[in-house]
Each structure stands twice: as structure tokens, then as C-alpha cells.
Amino acid sequence: MQILKFNKDYKFYDSFEYLKELPKDKNLKLEEGAFGSLFLTEVQDFEIPQKTYSNDTDFINHVLSTYSKSNKSVGILLTGKKGLGKSFTAKLLCQKLNLPTIIIDKQTNSGMFDLLNQIEQEHIVYIDEFEKIFPRSGGGDDNDSSGKITQESFLSFLDGNTTSKVKRLFIITSNDDVNYYMINRPSRIRYVREYKSISKSIIQEIVDDKLTNKEFKDDLISNLSIDELNIDSLIEIINEINISNKPYTYFKSFFNYTVDESEFDIFLISDNGKVKYLTKRKYTNSNFEYYKAATLNLGDSYYSEKFVEEVNYNESIFEGYKYDGKENKINI
């Protein structure tokens, strides 16, 4: 296999002798050309701000250490709410490893696997918002009706990397709807890092760095919803305080930052002490107990048809509850 570089595009041929390897300091995005042909094109380097806010230092160092000592591919899943640092952590890992980074940011055909398998050097495969790029097959097929790659076929590709001669680091981010078959499969995904909320220490650091008038600090911190807050929103709120020189409570009612009360992790129906329906979001024991109690205290059914969907879950989370897969019920 030979690689032809033309301007910012990298294409694979059997005969040309131009590049023996992909450049280690470049980000290369997967593109689909005419008639489904695939190639890599050089894109802008990741921008890492000088001042960063993250609790991921230990995690990043652990991943780098493990990958350097491993003789096989490693998969990482960064999942959770937007704006909490998933993409930043992914980009920082790419930067620190100094390997060719293959960015996959759109749906493509199964030729992607052939292209990746032609790369004979270590590299990173970075997929941002996995659930938006690869659909579920719905029927167990590797590709959907249009021939595009599905989540299932990509996971099969991950399985093949356990014996591949080329070592890769797979970095996958997901905001929601994580495929169940990624969980408890360390041969596919070795690390799962979940982003639920900003830590109080990070909030404190951002406020101390960016808030001009410290008289407004207590008002700001005491009126924030930490569970729903992301870093971008916090910084914009602080910018508004700095511009207006008014406390957060002054403009809170009309500022474009609200807690979406409808986005619960679990929606359910109360019916004679039974929980009938769950969404396919990430489940936790704490949320389950909270919403179960809230629903049972309502007396009437608490129902939203929009969120009655097929359940994908980890059975161990619901230990002590019986699940009926046909009717999507949990008997308490």
C-alpha cells in the first residue's frame, strides 16, 4: 500500500511511491468522494486553550500510560451531557499521543473499514457524537438499507482489533443513547468516562478566574443548578455579570439558560405500585429511586408518550426488579 498526498488530500494506491507513512502531527478527516470512494483530507489542528478547566488529568495520564504499554488497540468512550469536557479530553489525548488522528464525523459506507485497515502504522480513530453518525441497524444487519455503516458493524470492527497487527486508540464520544453492547466489554471499550455535571471545585475555579466583581460571587453560586450546568453556560453567565455589573438573580429570569425539567433520565407510569415504562437513556440507581418515589406519590399516572421507547439497559442496575422484555415493564 502506498499513500499519495495531493494538496491536503491523502489517497491510497497500490503503485505510487510518495509517502511511506501518514504524518504524525496531522488531523485527517474521512471524506467520501464520487461513487463512494473514500479518502483522507488534512484539516485544522485542534485548538487547546492555554487555560483549561478539567478534572480529567489523572484519567488522561492513565490512558496514555496504558496505551503506551499495551500491544493491542484500546477503546475509550466519553459519554454524558454536552459542554462538560468530552471533546476537550478527546482532543487533548490526540495532541499528547502525537499520532495521525483519523476524524470520522459523518455517515459513510463500509469502505471505511478497508481504508482503516490499509493504514500500517499506529493511529487514532476519533468519532465525535457516535450515536448521530452511526444508526442502529434495528435488525441485526451490519449495514442499513443504504449501505451505510451501523453501530453494530462498527462494534464488530472493534472486536477485530483485538487481534489486529496495527495498534489503534479509538476515542468515541456520545451525548446519549449509548449502545448497550459497548458496556461491560473491555475488549471493545476499555474505559468509559461519564460526564454528569461540573464539579464544585471547577465551578469555583472558573468563577474566581473570570468574575470581575467578587461581590456577586455568592449570589451566582447559590443560584446555579449544578446538575444541569455546563462550562460554556457558566462562562456566558459570568460574562453577562461582568458586562452589566448586576447579580445573576437580576437577569436570571430572562437569560437564555434554563433547566429543562422534561429531560429526566427516567420517565415512568405509576400503576398500582408498578413502574411500566422507561426511556433508553443512561440509568442510575439514584435516579431510578428518585423518580419511582416521585411517581408513586403523585397518585395519578405520570405519562409522556414521547418517551415511551424500547428499553436498552444493563440488567445489573435493576437487580431486585423483574423485567418483561416483551412489554418493557419492571415489576416492583
Side-chain angles (χ1 to χ4, degrees):
M1 182 273 298
Q2 301 296 331
I3 305 169
L4 171 64
K5 183 177 186 297
F6 180 74
N7 292 330
K8 292 186 176 182
D9 295 339
Y10 295 76
K11 298 186 179 183
F12 298 85
Y13 293 88
D14 292 327
S15 57
F16 291 102
E17 291 187 12
Y18 289 90
L19 294 177
K20 294 183 179 179
E21 288 190 331
L22 294 171
K24 291 185 177 181
D25 60 344
K26 298 295 183 184
N27 294 330
L28 308 169
K29 187 165 71 170
L30 182 68
E31 297 284 3
E32 185 170 345
F35 308 108
S37 61
L38 299 178
F39 60 95
L40 302 176
T41 186
E42 186 178 315
V43 293
Q44 187 175 1
D45 294 339
F46 296 131
E47 293 184 3
I48 306 295
Q50 289 185 340
K51 174 67 176 181
T52 60
Y53 302 98
S54 173
N55 287 325
D56 281 351
T57 301
D58 291 343
F59 171 70
I60 290 171
N61 289 338
H62 183 85
V63 170
L64 295 175
S65 175
T66 301
Y67 180 80
S68 66
K69 297 173 184 176
S70 175
N71 59 2
K72 62 181 182 180
S73 296
V74 173
I76 301 170
L77 173 63
L78 307 174
T79 180
K81 299 175 183 177
K82 292 182 178 180
L84 296 181
K86 298 188 301 296
S87 295
F88 167 75
T89 296
K91 292 172 182 178
L92 201 56
L93 280 166
C94 293
Q95 187 183 75
K96 287 182 175 293
L97 273 174
N98 194 34
L99 292 172
T101 298
I102 313 302
I103 301 171
I104 301 172
D105 63 358
K106 60 174 67 71
Q107 234 188 11
T108 186
N109 60 58
S110 58
M112 181 190 82
F113 300 136
D114 295 330
L115 183 147
L116 291 176
N117 284 330
Q118 290 183 72
I119 301 174
E120 299 173 349
Q121 66 192 102
E122 285 188 38
H123 59 278
I124 299 167
V125 178
Y126 174 32
I127 303 173
D128 199 15
E129 298 190 335
F130 177 80
E131 73 282 1
K132 292 185 178 180
I133 297 173
F134 301 124
R136 292 179 183 272
S137 69
D141 298 326
D142 280 349
N143 300 313
D144 67 8
S145 58
S146 64
K148 300 296 184 181
I149 293 173
T150 63
Q151 293 184 21
E152 288 75 9
S153 57
F154 186 84
L155 295 177
S156 297
F157 178 69
L158 282 180
D159 286 339
N161 277 270
T162 59
T163 57
S164 173
K165 293 181 180 179
V166 177
K167 189 169 75 168
R168 301 178 173 101
L169 179 67
F170 291 93
I171 306 177
I172 299 170
T173 75
S174 175
N175 295 324
D176 195 8
D177 194 20
V178 175
N179 191 300
Y180 170 67
Y181 296 104
M182 287 185 177
I183 308 303
N184 292 332
R185 295 290 297 272
S187 60
R188 286 178 169 177
I189 301 294
R190 190 172 189 87
Y191 304 111
V192 178
R193 181 74 160 168
E194 186 175 2
Y195 295 74
K196 295 180 180 180
S197 61
I198 313 176
S199 70
K200 292 181 180 179
S201 62
I202 293 294
I203 291 175
Q204 187 77 40
E205 186 179 358
I206 294 173
V207 171
D208 288 341
D209 281 352
K210 297 185 176 294
L211 184 63
T212 303
N213 190 339
K214 298 300 191 285
E215 291 181 3
F216 298 138
K217 178 177 176 179
D218 290 342
D219 174 85
L220 171 61
I221 292 178
S222 62
N223 283 282
L224 291 172
S225 175
I226 295 177
D227 289 341
E228 296 292 335
L229 188 66
N230 61 50
I231 293 173
D232 292 339
S233 296
L234 175 58
I235 290 174
E236 288 307 315
I237 290 170
I238 294 172
N239 287 341
E240 183 72 17
I241 295 173
N242 292 341
I243 292 169
S244 66
N245 198 34
K246 295 183 183 297
Y248 177 44
T249 48
Y250 175 83
F251 58 83
K252 180 180 178 181
S253 63
F254 53 83
F255 192 75
N256 187 22
Y257 166 70
T258 58
V259 177
D260 190 346
E261 300 293 349
S262 66
E263 291 189 359
F264 298 130
D265 288 323
I266 297 178
F267 266 70
L268 38 78
I269 299 174
S270 173
D271 181 16
N272 298 324
K274 293 184 178 180
V275 178
K276 286 186 176 179
Y277 293 100
L278 306 176
T279 67
K280 58 183 180 181
R281 292 175 180 269
K282 179 88 174 173
Y283 306 126
T284 65
N285 281 317
S286 59
N287 283 331
F288 181 68
E289 293 299 328
Y290 174 83
Y291 290 117
K292 181 184 74 172
T295 302
L296 296 179
N297 289 334
L298 284 174
D300 297 324
S301 293
Y302 184 55
Y303 177 71
S304 173
E305 185 176 0
K306 176 182 177 182
F307 290 93
V308 178
E309 301 174 16
E310 179 183 354
V311 177
N312 282 283
Y313 71 104
N314 183 335
E315 279 193 4
S316 64
I317 293 174
F318 297 106
E319 187 174 352
Y321 301 94
K322 185 179 179 181
Y323 174 72
D324 183 341
K326 295 181 181 179
E327 296 182 6
N328 295 334
K329 295 181 180 177
I330 292 181
N331 299 321
I332 299 176

mmCIF file of all heavy atoms in Angstrom, residues 86-118:
data_model
loop_
_atom_site.group_PDB
_atom_site.id
_atom_site.type_symbol
_atom_site.label_atom_id
_atom_site.label_comp_id
_atom_site.label_asym_id
_atom_site.label_seq_id
_atom_site.Cartn_x
_atom_site.Cartn_y
_atom_site.Cartn_z
ATOM 1 N N LYS A 86 -16.105 16.497 27.209
ATOM 2 C CA LYS A 86 -15.821 15.266 26.472
ATOM 3 C C LYS A 86 -14.895 15.523 25.283
ATOM 4 O O LYS A 86 -13.869 14.857 25.118
ATOM 5 C CB LYS A 86 -17.126 14.621 25.983
ATOM 6 C CG LYS A 86 -18.077 14.198 27.063
ATOM 7 C CD LYS A 86 -19.243 13.401 26.524
ATOM 8 C CE LYS A 86 -20.059 14.145 25.502
ATOM 9 N NZ LYS A 86 -20.721 15.358 26.056
ATOM 10 N N SER A 87 -15.273 16.488 24.446
ATOM 11 C CA SER A 87 -14.481 16.774 23.244
ATOM 12 C C SER A 87 -13.102 17.319 23.608
ATOM 13 O O SER A 87 -12.101 16.999 22.947
ATOM 14 C CB SER A 87 -15.218 17.767 22.343
ATOM 15 O OG SER A 87 -16.414 17.198 21.857
ATOM 16 N N PHE A 88 -13.040 18.124 24.658
ATOM 17 C CA PHE A 88 -11.750 18.659 25.095
ATOM 18 C C PHE A 88 -10.808 17.532 25.504
ATOM 19 O O PHE A 88 -9.636 17.505 25.113
ATOM 20 C CB PHE A 88 -11.950 19.632 26.255
ATOM 21 C CG PHE A 88 -10.668 19.991 26.954
ATOM 22 C CD1 PHE A 88 -9.768 20.857 26.374
ATOM 23 C CD2 PHE A 88 -10.348 19.430 28.188
ATOM 24 C CE1 PHE A 88 -8.576 21.180 27.006
ATOM 25 C CE2 PHE A 88 -9.162 19.740 28.822
ATOM 26 C CZ PHE A 88 -8.273 20.621 28.236
ATOM 27 N N THR A 89 -11.314 16.578 26.304
ATOM 28 C CA THR A 89 -10.484 15.447 26.729
ATOM 29 C C THR A 89 -10.027 14.629 25.528
ATOM 30 O O THR A 89 -8.868 14.208 25.448
ATOM 31 C CB THR A 89 -11.264 14.556 27.715
ATOM 32 O OG1 THR A 89 -11.550 15.309 28.895
ATOM 33 C CG2 THR A 89 -10.476 13.316 28.094
ATOM 34 N N ALA A 90 -10.941 14.407 24.583
ATOM 35 C CA ALA A 90 -10.591 13.649 23.383
ATOM 36 C C ALA A 90 -9.475 14.342 22.604
ATOM 37 O O ALA A 90 -8.494 13.707 22.181
ATOM 38 C CB ALA A 90 -11.827 13.477 22.506
ATOM 39 N N LYS A 91 -9.606 15.640 22.421
ATOM 40 C CA LYS A 91 -8.607 16.404 21.658
ATOM 41 C C LYS A 91 -7.262 16.437 22.380
ATOM 42 O O LYS A 91 -6.202 16.372 21.747
ATOM 43 C CB LYS A 91 -9.119 17.814 21.397
ATOM 44 C CG LYS A 91 -10.308 17.845 20.449
ATOM 45 C CD LYS A 91 -10.915 19.240 20.358
ATOM 46 C CE LYS A 91 -12.131 19.244 19.444
ATOM 47 N NZ LYS A 91 -12.770 20.589 19.373
ATOM 48 N N LEU A 92 -7.307 16.530 23.702
ATOM 49 C CA LEU A 92 -6.063 16.560 24.467
ATOM 50 C C LEU A 92 -5.338 15.217 24.362
ATOM 51 O O LEU A 92 -4.108 15.175 24.235
ATOM 52 C CB LEU A 92 -6.366 16.887 25.935
ATOM 53 C CG LEU A 92 -5.207 17.446 26.768
ATOM 54 C CD1 LEU A 92 -4.628 18.702 26.134
ATOM 55 C CD2 LEU A 92 -5.669 17.743 28.189
ATOM 56 N N LEU A 93 -6.072 14.121 24.381
ATOM 57 C CA LEU A 93 -5.471 12.800 24.200
ATOM 58 C C LEU A 93 -4.806 12.705 22.826
ATOM 59 O O LEU A 93 -3.681 12.207 22.706
ATOM 60 C CB LEU A 93 -6.532 11.703 24.350
ATOM 61 C CG LEU A 93 -6.907 11.316 25.771
ATOM 62 C CD1 LEU A 93 -8.192 10.487 25.782
ATOM 63 C CD2 LEU A 93 -5.781 10.528 26.435
ATOM 64 N N CYS A 94 -5.504 13.177 21.805
ATOM 65 C CA CYS A 94 -4.942 13.149 20.452
ATOM 66 C C CYS A 94 -3.649 13.956 20.387
ATOM 67 O O CYS A 94 -2.652 13.518 19.794
ATOM 68 C CB CYS A 94 -5.946 13.707 19.446
ATOM 69 S SG CYS A 94 -7.427 12.707 19.220
ATOM 70 N N GLN A 95 -3.667 15.120 20.989
ATOM 71 C CA GLN A 95 -2.495 16.007 20.945
ATOM 72 C C GLN A 95 -1.304 15.379 21.662
ATOM 73 O O GLN A 95 -0.163 15.433 21.178
ATOM 74 C CB GLN A 95 -2.853 17.357 21.557
ATOM 75 C CG GLN A 95 -1.767 18.411 21.423
ATOM 76 C CD GLN A 95 -2.147 19.708 22.117
ATOM 77 O OE1 GLN A 95 -2.119 19.802 23.335
ATOM 78 N NE2 GLN A 95 -2.525 20.712 21.337
ATOM 79 N N LYS A 96 -1.545 14.809 22.827
ATOM 80 C CA LYS A 96 -0.450 14.269 23.628
ATOM 81 C C LYS A 96 0.158 13.004 23.022
ATOM 82 O O LYS A 96 1.357 12.745 23.187
ATOM 83 C CB LYS A 96 -0.938 13.992 25.055
ATOM 84 C CG LYS A 96 -1.163 15.260 25.885
ATOM 85 C CD LYS A 96 -1.595 14.935 27.293
ATOM 86 C CE LYS A 96 -1.689 16.188 28.151
ATOM 87 N NZ LYS A 96 -0.369 16.818 28.382
ATOM 88 N N LEU A 97 -0.631 12.203 22.315
ATOM 89 C CA LEU A 97 -0.102 10.969 21.731
ATOM 90 C C LEU A 97 0.721 11.237 20.479
ATOM 91 O O LEU A 97 1.579 10.424 20.101
ATOM 92 C CB LEU A 97 -1.241 10.010 21.398
ATOM 93 C CG LEU A 97 -1.685 9.095 22.543
ATOM 94 C CD1 LEU A 97 -2.898 8.288 22.146
ATOM 95 C CD2 LEU A 97 -0.554 8.167 22.973
ATOM 96 N N ASN A 98 0.448 12.345 19.782
ATOM 97 C CA ASN A 98 1.197 12.710 18.584
ATOM 98 C C ASN A 98 1.204 11.572 17.556
ATOM 99 O O ASN A 98 2.249 11.172 17.034
ATOM 100 C CB ASN A 98 2.631 13.106 18.942
ATOM 101 C CG ASN A 98 3.332 13.802 17.794
ATOM 102 O OD1 ASN A 98 2.706 14.531 17.019
ATOM 103 N ND2 ASN A 98 4.630 13.578 17.654
ATOM 104 N N LEU A 99 0.005 11.057 17.281
ATOM 105 C CA LEU A 99 -0.180 10.044 16.245
ATOM 106 C C LEU A 99 -1.106 10.617 15.169
ATOM 107 O O LEU A 99 -1.841 11.571 15.424
ATOM 108 C CB LEU A 99 -0.824 8.785 16.834
ATOM 109 C CG LEU A 99 -0.006 7.964 17.813
ATOM 110 C CD1 LEU A 99 -0.873 6.864 18.431
ATOM 111 C CD2 LEU A 99 1.220 7.359 17.140
ATOM 112 N N PRO A 100 -1.095 10.064 13.958
ATOM 113 C CA PRO A 100 -2.099 10.501 12.974
ATOM 114 C C PRO A 100 -3.496 10.302 13.542
ATOM 115 O O PRO A 100 -3.806 9.231 14.082
ATOM 116 C CB PRO A 100 -1.853 9.562 11.785
ATOM 117 C CG PRO A 100 -0.462 9.062 11.953
ATOM 118 C CD PRO A 100 -0.210 9.001 13.426
ATOM 119 N N THR A 101 -4.325 11.332 13.467
ATOM 120 C CA THR A 101 -5.684 11.259 14.008
ATOM 121 C C THR A 101 -6.682 11.235 12.859
ATOM 122 O O THR A 101 -6.764 12.196 12.083
ATOM 123 C CB THR A 101 -5.978 12.459 14.925
ATOM 124 O OG1 THR A 101 -5.075 12.424 16.041
ATOM 125 C CG2 THR A 101 -7.407 12.411 15.447
ATOM 126 N N ILE A 102 -7.415 10.139 12.750
ATOM 127 C CA ILE A 102 -8.441 9.990 11.720
ATOM 128 C C ILE A 102 -9.772 10.427 12.328
ATOM 129 O O ILE A 102 -10.273 9.787 13.256
ATOM 130 C CB ILE A 102 -8.541 8.539 11.207
ATOM 131 C CG1 ILE A 102 -7.148 7.968 10.894
ATOM 132 C CG2 ILE A 102 -9.464 8.463 10.004
ATOM 133 C CD1 ILE A 102 -6.361 8.734 9.881
ATOM 134 N N ILE A 103 -10.336 11.503 11.810
ATOM 135 C CA ILE A 103 -11.587 12.050 12.332
ATOM 136 C C ILE A 103 -12.746 11.555 11.476
ATOM 137 O O ILE A 103 -12.762 11.747 10.261
ATOM 138 C CB ILE A 103 -11.554 13.588 12.338
ATOM 139 C CG1 ILE A 103 -10.400 14.098 13.202
ATOM 140 C CG2 ILE A 103 -12.881 14.160 12.822
ATOM 141 C CD1 ILE A 103 -10.159 15.592 13.088
ATOM 142 N N ILE A 104 -13.699 10.912 12.124
ATOM 143 C CA ILE A 104 -14.905 10.444 11.434
ATOM 144 C C ILE A 104 -16.078 11.237 11.994
ATOM 145 O O ILE A 104 -16.435 11.082 13.159
ATOM 146 C CB ILE A 104 -15.116 8.935 11.633
ATOM 147 C CG1 ILE A 104 -13.890 8.161 11.108
ATOM 148 C CG2 ILE A 104 -16.388 8.464 10.940
ATOM 149 C CD1 ILE A 104 -13.904 6.692 11.436
ATOM 150 N N ASP A 105 -16.661 12.103 11.158
ATOM 151 C CA ASP A 105 -17.726 12.978 11.650
ATOM 152 C C ASP A 105 -18.988 12.921 10.801
ATOM 153 O O ASP A 105 -19.861 13.769 10.907
ATOM 154 C CB ASP A 105 -17.239 14.426 11.761
ATOM 155 C CG ASP A 105 -16.839 15.018 10.418
ATOM 156 O OD1 ASP A 105 -16.903 14.301 9.388
ATOM 157 O OD2 ASP A 105 -16.477 16.209 10.387
ATOM 158 N N LYS A 106 -19.078 11.913 9.937
ATOM 159 C CA LYS A 106 -20.291 11.754 9.127
ATOM 160 C C LYS A 106 -20.485 10.284 8.767
ATOM 161 O O LYS A 106 -19.545 9.481 8.812
ATOM 162 C CB LYS A 106 -20.218 12.605 7.859
ATOM 163 C CG LYS A 106 -19.049 12.260 6.954
ATOM 164 C CD LYS A 106 -19.112 13.044 5.647
ATOM 165 C CE LYS A 106 -18.903 14.520 5.843
ATOM 166 N NZ LYS A 106 -17.511 14.855 6.205
ATOM 167 N N GLN A 107 -21.712 9.947 8.416
ATOM 168 C CA GLN A 107 -22.031 8.597 7.994
ATOM 169 C C GLN A 107 -21.278 8.254 6.724
ATOM 170 O O GLN A 107 -21.081 9.107 5.850
ATOM 171 C CB GLN A 107 -23.536 8.479 7.723
ATOM 172 C CG GLN A 107 -24.190 7.349 8.480
ATOM 173 C CD GLN A 107 -25.618 7.123 8.050
ATOM 174 O OE1 GLN A 107 -26.081 7.654 7.060
ATOM 175 N NE2 GLN A 107 -26.326 6.339 8.826
ATOM 176 N N THR A 108 -20.832 7.008 6.644
ATOM 177 C CA THR A 108 -20.095 6.600 5.464
ATOM 178 C C THR A 108 -20.363 5.126 5.177
ATOM 179 O O THR A 108 -21.083 4.451 5.912
ATOM 180 C CB THR A 108 -18.589 6.850 5.662
ATOM 181 O OG1 THR A 108 -17.904 6.575 4.449
ATOM 182 C CG2 THR A 108 -18.021 5.961 6.763
ATOM 183 N N ASN A 109 -19.770 4.622 4.096
ATOM 184 C CA ASN A 109 -20.023 3.236 3.709
ATOM 185 C C ASN A 109 -18.964 2.303 4.285
ATOM 186 O O ASN A 109 -17.986 2.749 4.905
ATOM 187 C CB ASN A 109 -20.100 3.117 2.181
ATOM 188 C CG ASN A 109 -18.802 3.548 1.507
ATOM 189 O OD1 ASN A 109 -17.733 3.009 1.767
ATOM 190 N ND2 ASN A 109 -18.889 4.553 0.630
ATOM 191 N N SER A 110 -19.153 1.016 4.089
ATOM 192 C CA SER A 110 -18.280 0.014 4.701
ATOM 193 C C SER A 110 -16.856 0.046 4.166
ATOM 194 O O SER A 110 -15.969 -0.603 4.716
ATOM 195 C CB SER A 110 -18.863 -1.389 4.499
ATOM 196 O OG SER A 110 -19.029 -1.662 3.113
ATOM 197 N N GLY A 111 -16.618 0.839 3.109
ATOM 198 C CA GLY A 111 -15.246 1.017 2.638
ATOM 199 C C GLY A 111 -14.362 1.666 3.684
ATOM 200 O O GLY A 111 -13.135 1.603 3.583
ATOM 201 N N MET A 112 -14.980 2.279 4.703
ATOM 202 C CA MET A 112 -14.208 2.871 5.796
ATOM 203 C C MET A 112 -13.320 1.840 6.463
ATOM 204 O O MET A 112 -12.167 2.109 6.806
ATOM 205 C CB MET A 112 -15.155 3.486 6.834
ATOM 206 C CG MET A 112 -14.448 4.158 8.000
ATOM 207 S SD MET A 112 -15.578 4.625 9.331
ATOM 208 C CE MET A 112 -15.722 3.041 10.178
ATOM 209 N N PHE A 113 -13.846 0.636 6.652
ATOM 210 C CA PHE A 113 -13.066 -0.407 7.306
ATOM 211 C C PHE A 113 -11.866 -0.805 6.447
ATOM 212 O O PHE A 113 -10.762 -1.013 6.961
ATOM 213 C CB PHE A 113 -13.938 -1.636 7.588
ATOM 214 C CG PHE A 113 -15.108 -1.355 8.485
ATOM 215 C CD1 PHE A 113 -16.361 -1.870 8.200
ATOM 216 C CD2 PHE A 113 -14.966 -0.561 9.613
ATOM 217 C CE1 PHE A 113 -17.445 -1.615 9.023
ATOM 218 C CE2 PHE A 113 -16.036 -0.303 10.442
ATOM 219 C CZ PHE A 113 -17.288 -0.828 10.150
ATOM 220 N N ASP A 114 -12.081 -0.889 5.129
ATOM 221 C CA ASP A 114 -10.973 -1.224 4.227
ATOM 222 C C ASP A 114 -9.897 -0.147 4.266
ATOM 223 O O ASP A 114 -8.702 -0.444 4.291
ATOM 224 C CB ASP A 114 -11.487 -1.382 2.788
ATOM 225 C CG ASP A 114 -12.442 -2.551 2.641
ATOM 226 O OD1 ASP A 114 -12.298 -3.535 3.395
ATOM 227 O OD2 ASP A 114 -13.342 -2.477 1.785
ATOM 228 N N LEU A 115 -10.326 1.117 4.293
ATOM 229 C CA LEU A 115 -9.366 2.219 4.325
ATOM 230 C C LEU A 115 -8.557 2.177 5.619
ATOM 231 O O LEU A 115 -7.321 2.270 5.589
ATOM 232 C CB LEU A 115 -10.096 3.555 4.178
ATOM 233 C CG LEU A 115 -9.226 4.813 4.117
ATOM 234 C CD1 LEU A 115 -9.870 5.861 3.225
ATOM 235 C CD2 LEU A 115 -8.988 5.415 5.508
ATOM 236 N N LEU A 116 -9.238 2.037 6.754
ATOM 237 C CA LEU A 116 -8.520 1.997 8.032
ATOM 238 C C LEU A 116 -7.559 0.823 8.092
ATOM 239 O O LEU A 116 -6.460 0.940 8.657
ATOM 240 C CB LEU A 116 -9.518 1.926 9.192
ATOM 241 C CG LEU A 116 -10.365 3.182 9.430
ATOM 242 C CD1 LEU A 116 -11.378 2.933 10.543
ATOM 243 C CD2 LEU A 116 -9.494 4.376 9.781
ATOM 244 N N ASN A 117 -7.953 -0.298 7.517
ATOM 245 C CA ASN A 117 -7.092 -1.489 7.557
ATOM 246 C C ASN A 117 -5.879 -1.370 6.639
ATOM 247 O O ASN A 117 -4.940 -2.173 6.746
ATOM 248 C CB ASN A 117 -7.901 -2.733 7.184
ATOM 249 C CG ASN A 117 -8.790 -3.190 8.329
ATOM 250 O OD1 ASN A 117 -8.464 -2.990 9.503
ATOM 251 N ND2 ASN A 117 -9.914 -3.803 7.991
ATOM 252 N N GLN A 118 -5.889 -0.372 5.745
ATOM 253 C CA GLN A 118 -4.711 -0.135 4.901
ATOM 254 C C GLN A 118 -3.637 0.683 5.616
ATOM 255 O O GLN A 118 -2.505 0.749 5.149
ATOM 256 C CB GLN A 118 -5.127 0.593 3.620
ATOM 257 C CG GLN A 118 -5.933 -0.258 2.653
ATOM 258 C CD GLN A 118 -6.235 0.500 1.380
ATOM 259 O OE1 GLN A 118 -5.355 0.746 0.546
ATOM 260 N NE2 GLN A 118 -7.478 0.899 1.210
#
